[in-house]
Structure formats: C-alpha cells, structure tokens
Amino acid sequence: MLLELRAENYAVIDHAIAIFGPGLNLLTGETGAGKSILVDALALLMGDKASSDVVRHGAEKAIVACVFEATPGAETILEANGIDSEGHEIILRREILSNGKGRVFINNQPATVSALRQLAPELALVHAQSETLGAFDQAQQRSLLDRFGNISEESATAAYEKWRGIQEKLNELERDEQDRLRMVDLWSFQRKEIEGVNPVEGEDGAMETERRVLSNAEKLYAVAMSAHELLYEGANSAETTLRAAEKQIAELAHYDPKFQEAAQQIASVRASVEDVSATVRDYAENIQASPERLAEIEDRLAALDRLKRKYGQTLAEVIAYGEEVAAKLNEIENRDEILKTLRGDLKSAADAYRKAAQLLTAERTAAAKKLEKLAETQINDLAMKVRFAVAVTTNEDPAHWTAHGWDMVECRIATNAGEPLKSLDEIASGGEMSRVLLALKVSVEEGANKSQGKKKTQVPRTLVFDEIDIGIGGRAAEAVGQKLKALSRAQQVLCVTHLPQIAAFADQHFLIEKREHSGRTKTSVRLLENDDRTEEIARMLSGATVTDTSLKHAEQMLKTSK
C-alpha cells in the first residue's frame, strides 16, 4: 500500500505531501490544478522516463518521493539489487536535475531506474492518462487470469526447471565435445601430477612447523634446557626460591590463618613451574637434528608449492581442482553412456512438463470463458458497448516453453459494432483504456473471491487510475464509483476524477488546489473532511458558484454512497 507521496519543485508544485490510506483514495480539483501531475510523479517512481521539463522554473532540481509498505517479493528484489531493507517500509526517491541528469535512491541508498522498474509490479500499477497499455503486458494479463481462476503454476514451474536443467547439461556436453577432446591430454597430465603428489589438506602447515624446528634444532635445544635450568635445576631456580617462600608463608599461616590462602597459591604456582620445566625438558630431549628428515620435508613442501602455484592458493583448492579434472575425464570416458542417460531423463522431464502445461492450458481456457463474460458485462456498465474476449493460445514448441507454461494470454476488445476483436493496446482513448482495466480488475477480484477450496493469492499492489471518467456521466459515472469502491476493498486504489458521482465514494478525498502567491503559481494537496468534502462535491456539481441546492445534493450523494 502507498503510504505517502511527496513532490518538490515538480512542474507547478512547490512542495506537496499526500498521506494516503487504505481503500479508495480520490483526487479532485479544478481543471489545470495539477491532479494528473501527482499521478505522473508516482509513475516516475515506478521507473518511467524522466525529463528536465518537469523541473519547476527557477529550481535546480525536482524531487519526488514515496513510501510503500514492504512486501516479501519487494524485499527479494531489494536483496538481489544489494539494497538494505528498512523494516516494514520501502522508501523511493528520485531527483531530476535541470540539466537533464538524475539520481535514484531506494531506502536512502543509491539505486538505478532499472531497480525501480523491477519493484513496480510488486508495489503499484500506475495507469496514467498519457500511458499506453505497455505496462499491462502479456505477463500481467496471464497473472490476472490465473488470479481470477486461482490457478497455480507451481507444478509447471517445477517441471520446467527440471527439464531446462537437463537440457542445458545435454547441450553443454554436445556443444563442448571438440573442446573437451582437445583438453583431454592437458587434463590427464594435471590429474596425474596432482595424484602423483597426493596432497593432504593442511599438511603443508604442519610441515612448515616441523621444518622450522629441524632447521633450528641446536638453538631450540639450548633454549629449552636453559629454561629448564632456570625453572627447576639451578641452585637459584624458580622452584627452589618458591619452595623456600612456601615454607616461610606456611610458618606465617601457622600463627595467622589469613596466610593459609597465600600458602596454597604459592604451592599452586610451584606445581605449575614444575609442570612447565618438565615440558621443556622433554621437548629438548626429543629434539633430534636430522638432515635426512629436513631434506625430505623440503622436497615435499617444494612439490606442494608447485601444485599451489598451478592449481590453487591452498591445498584444499588444489584437491578440489583435481577432483574437477577427474570428473571431466570421467565424463569424456563415459560420454556415450552419460548422453544416453541424459536423453532418457530429458524425455521424461519433457513429458512431465507437457502434462503440467496442458493442465494449465485447460484451467486457463475454462477460466478465460468465465472471465470474458463477466468482464464484458462490467465494461458495458461503464458507458461503453463492447465485445470482450480472453484468448488463450498455446505454442508447444520447446523453444517457447517457460516456467509459466506455454500459453499466451491476450485480452481482446471490439469497441464498435461490426469491428473485429483487437488487442487492448489498440484502444485509442485513454479514458476507455482506464475503464476497461478497471472493469477487468473488478471482474478478477469478484471471480477470485467466489472461488472455493483453493488458496487465494492476494496481489499486494496499489492501483492508480487517471481520468477514468472521460466521456461518461450520470448512471455510468455512479457505476464507475461503485466498481472503484468494490475494487478498493481488496486493494488500495488511487483515482483522479472530475465527477462528483465518483468522488462521493471516496474513503479519503484529496483536493488539489492551484493558487498564485508572490507572482508564482503553486499547487497544494489537502485532505478533505466533513463540510469541506461536501463543499468540494457541490462545486463539482454546480461549477464555480456553490449553491444551497448543490450543497444539499452533495450531502445526499455522500449519504447514499456509504
């Protein structure tokens, strides 16, 4: 859900903030006040192309920003783009400089327009007045149909991933055969060289320690024996001194108990000294200067170093490389058997995918028949007279297989009698396009809510409609308001409208006002409540002059819409 939208030095907006709520959020105001500018600002935050023309005259840059509630899907996209999350919210900000350059921030971290476009389907579908149905692409239409019929793609997706994995492995073996054959001699040499040394992980570290000891055997013996002498054997050794001190402290403790603990501490220290002296003595006695062993270690370390220079920085990497080479050679040696197995696995995986895809097609075809009837009725309730169809076409060629199945879902419409059905992106009127999308969304939500026995898949998206009321009025306008209200029960809806019949259904009603101050035009956004809302609807009914009759009519419309 969209929580907040801000614009600064954007077009005619000096500084404006709108705090949105759940349900139906409607924006009204006089023509030219800048209602659509806010929708365009949100479209920029969804990744639309920016232009320096939007920077307010005299300003260095325009800033648009918004706050959305986070969704699991959006969090995944943020992580994929290396962007830290901000709790339960996602903050988007875009700066457009007067020189045409711009910057993007997500959660106050530098980001890209591409990241905004990736997030857009998770956050909002903005249907701006200047927009084509490009955002409502095949994937969106397929997603709507699946939601309508509560159709799950999980089986097809799993089958596709398995088939694709096997196909890629098979392609790799067949494509790289000549390269692999040319590499056989090298791989064989490398395997033989690594196996000839037979490295053990960690052995180089242990040998380095042993080499240091053997290289310094005489010095280490002298140092260890000197330490033993100072600790235990010498006339003035630490043990002799501590024993004498222990005797004196024990004498004190005989007369004063407070020295008993001190006596115990001295005894403990003396025992530790004896242990250390025994350790260094044993170490000295075990030191043996062995030129033969030293030479053996030097040769072994040199062999290990040669392997590390060629195959990895550590012995673990060398061993892993040897295993990889051995696996490649094994593949070549057993290539025919491996190919036979892979081809059998591929056929089984393809059969499983076909079965899953055919089931998807059947479910979508059945759902499409229901959706097109419901949607056609909904569209014709909005002052249009159309024929509407949802076409599900399949392409069983493996080149067209996807994780979503092999279906192409396309909504088609004929807006005039006698005309053939055409794809939605051929609709000329922006108002018609918005109404079709509204009717389709309402139909999908009604169908999804009526489905029984299946898990619903809620789409956590804000829907934005601009100028949805072009060319309608009267009962059709009221029907649009009712449909927007119905749609807003499941999803947050933002809508720009000129019609009081629609404005009366708002859960939150915002007035966009344009005023002149100090010789500059400024646009502001204000949340209307109670009398202010009644007055605005009355203005929409009667024009610039609000009459008692229009006020009473506005009050009645507000009561009726609840």
Side-chain angles (χ1 to χ4, degrees):
M1 184 176 79
L2 176 64
L3 304 177
E4 180 180 308
L5 177 64
R6 294 172 176 257
E8 181 179 337
N9 292 325
Y10 182 76
V12 297
I13 297 176
D14 177 30
H15 184 77
I17 302 175
I19 308 297
F20 297 106
L24 181 56
N25 296 261
L26 289 177
L27 286 72
T28 66
E30 295 181 356
T31 300
K35 301 181 295 298
S36 295
I37 291 175
L38 285 176
V39 176
D40 291 339
L42 186 58
L44 273 180
L45 292 164
M46 295 296 100
D48 269 16
K49 186 177 180 180
S51 168
S52 60
D53 294 340
V54 302
V55 181
R56 183 174 168 83
H57 179 67
E60 293 182 359
K61 63 182 177 181
I63 300 175
V64 291
C66 67
V67 181
F68 278 95
E69 287 182 336
T71 70
E75 294 285 353
T76 300
I77 294 169
L78 291 181
E79 184 178 351
N81 283 274
I83 298 170
D84 297 332
S85 62
E86 289 280 342
H88 300 294
E89 297 178 349
I90 294 177
I91 305 168
L92 309 179
R93 186 169 90 251
R94 197 164 176 184
E95 299 179 357
I96 301 95
L97 306 182
S98 57
N99 62 8
K101 297 181 180 180
R103 297 189 297 176
V104 173
F105 299 88
I106 300 177
N107 290 343
N108 297 314
Q109 300 160 61
T112 63
V113 174
S114 175
L116 292 179
R117 290 172 181 161
Q118 292 174 47
L119 282 170
E122 277 292 327
L123 301 178
L125 177 59
V126 180
H127 198 73
Q129 189 176 2
S130 58
E131 181 191 32
T132 67
L133 269 175
F136 192 54
D137 56 13
Q138 294 290 334
Q140 291 280 355
Q141 295 177 57
R142 183 190 64 244
S143 177
L144 273 183
L145 178 61
D146 287 352
R147 173 164 172 74
F148 175 78
N150 276 320
I151 298 169
S152 172
E153 298 177 344
E154 290 182 3
S155 296
T157 299
Y160 173 78
E161 294 297 342
K162 184 175 181 180
W163 169 81
R164 187 181 66 173
I166 297 171
Q167 183 68 70
E168 288 177 351
K169 181 65 174 177
L170 188 59
N171 290 343
E172 181 184 354
L173 279 177
E174 293 175 340
R175 180 180 64 248
D176 298 341
E177 180 182 5
Q178 290 184 345
D179 291 338
R180 286 170 176 262
L181 290 174
R182 283 195 295 267
M183 294 294 290
V184 166
D185 290 342
L186 175 61
W187 288 339
S188 297
F189 172 80
Q190 291 173 334
R191 179 175 66 176
K192 183 177 180 181
E193 185 177 29
I194 294 173
E195 289 179 349
V197 177
N198 192 25
V200 177
E201 186 175 349
E203 68 169 305
D204 49 348
M207 284 190 168
E208 286 285 0
T209 300
E210 188 177 357
R211 180 174 66 176
R212 286 195 300 271
V213 172
L214 290 173
S215 298
N216 298 277
E218 293 183 5
K219 180 179 179 181
L220 291 173
Y221 178 82
V223 170
M225 291 307 298
S226 177
H228 176 64
E229 185 78 12
L230 290 170
L231 289 170
Y232 195 80
E233 287 292 343
N236 296 317
S237 68
E239 194 278 335
T240 301
T241 303
L242 286 170
R243 186 168 60 247
E246 181 184 5
K247 183 177 180 181
Q248 300 301 324
I249 297 297
E251 182 71 15
L252 288 173
H254 181 73
Y255 295 98
D256 190 340
K258 73 179 181 180
F259 287 102
Q260 289 179 353
E261 184 178 352
Q264 293 173 357
Q265 290 174 342
I266 292 292
S268 177
V269 171
R270 187 177 158 219
S272 297
V273 167
E274 290 180 358
D275 289 342
V276 173
S277 66
T279 299
V280 296
R281 182 197 61 209
D282 293 343
Y283 179 78
E285 291 176 351
N286 289 325
I287 292 176
Q288 296 180 359
S290 174
E292 295 81 5
R293 175 58 180 164
L294 180 59
E296 180 183 329
I297 290 174
E298 294 282 7
D299 291 342
R300 180 66 177 173
L301 286 173
L304 295 175
D305 286 340
R306 282 195 299 272
L307 292 183
K308 287 190 287 185
R309 283 196 300 271
K310 290 183 176 182
Y311 308 119
Q313 296 181 350
T314 65
L315 288 185
E317 292 178 3
V318 171
I319 294 169
Y321 184 81
E323 292 172 349
E324 181 182 343
V325 167
K328 290 177 179 178
L329 289 170
N330 182 64
E331 279 187 355
I332 291 175
E333 292 168 1
N334 300 282
R335 179 180 175 278
D336 291 341
E337 188 63 32
I338 293 173
L339 285 174
K340 181 180 178 182
T341 300
L342 282 175
R343 286 173 180 142
D345 292 344
L346 184 67
K347 183 179 183 305
S348 298
D351 290 342
Y353 177 80
R354 289 189 183 93
K355 183 177 180 181
Q358 287 168 354
L359 180 60
L360 264 184
T361 300
E363 290 181 315
R364 284 171 175 157
T365 301
K369 295 297 182 184
K370 297 177 182 178
L371 176 58
E372 62 187 17
K373 291 180 181 178
L374 181 58
E376 183 173 298
T377 301
Q378 296 279 10
I379 294 169
N380 289 332
D381 285 343
L382 303 179
M384 297 177 70
K385 190 173 183 180
V386 306
R387 287 183 295 118
F388 186 80
V390 181
V392 179
T393 57
T394 64
N395 190 332
E396 299 185 16
D397 185 341
H400 293 85
W401 291 3
T402 73
H404 306 288
W406 52 33
D407 303 320
M408 183 177 75
V409 177
E410 184 180 56
C411 297
R412 298 172 180 172
I413 192 168
T415 55
N416 295 300
E419 291 185 356
L421 292 165
K422 298 180 180 180
S423 61
L424 290 184
D425 57 10
E426 296 184 47
I427 295 175
S429 164
E432 285 181 331
M433 195 158 55
S434 293
R435 276 178 273 163
V436 168
L437 185 58
L438 170 62
L440 190 55
K441 286 283 185 179
V442 172
S443 301
V444 167
E445 291 303 324
E446 287 185 3
N449 290 334
K450 289 178 181 178
S451 297
Q452 300 293 327
K454 294 183 179 181
K455 183 179 178 181
K456 291 178 60 179
T457 54
Q458 179 66 33
V459 179
R461 180 184 298 147
T462 295
L463 300 178
V464 183
F465 298 97
D466 187 14
E467 307 293 357
I468 201 170
D469 51 18
I470 292 176
I472 65 171
R475 292 182 180 179
E478 186 175 351
V480 169
Q482 290 172 342
K483 292 190 190 306
L484 286 169
K485 189 72 171 181
L487 186 59
S488 70
R489 294 189 182 101
Q491 295 169 279
Q492 183 191 43
V493 177
L494 272 66
C495 182
V496 173
T497 184
H498 292 96
L499 297 180
Q501 296 93 328
I502 296 176
F505 286 94
D507 293 305
Q508 285 80 223
H509 186 163
F510 297 88
L511 175 62
I512 315 300
E513 298 174 292
K514 183 171 67 174
R515 295 176 179 174
E516 186 175 319
H517 179 71
S518 299
R520 294 295 303 274
T521 300
K522 296 184 178 181
T523 294
S524 61
V525 183
R526 180 161 60 97
L527 177 63
L528 300 180
E529 296 182 2
N530 303 325
D531 293 343
D532 287 340
R533 189 175 175 206
T534 303
E535 185 173 343
E536 169 62 7
I537 292 178
R539 180 200 64 76
M540 297 172 74
L541 285 166
S542 61
T545 302
V546 176
T547 65
D548 290 340
T549 300
S550 63
L551 284 170
K552 289 180 181 179
H553 191 185
E555 290 175 354
Q556 184 60 39
M557 291 177 68
L558 286 169
K559 289 179 182 179
T560 303
S561 66
K562 292 182 180 179

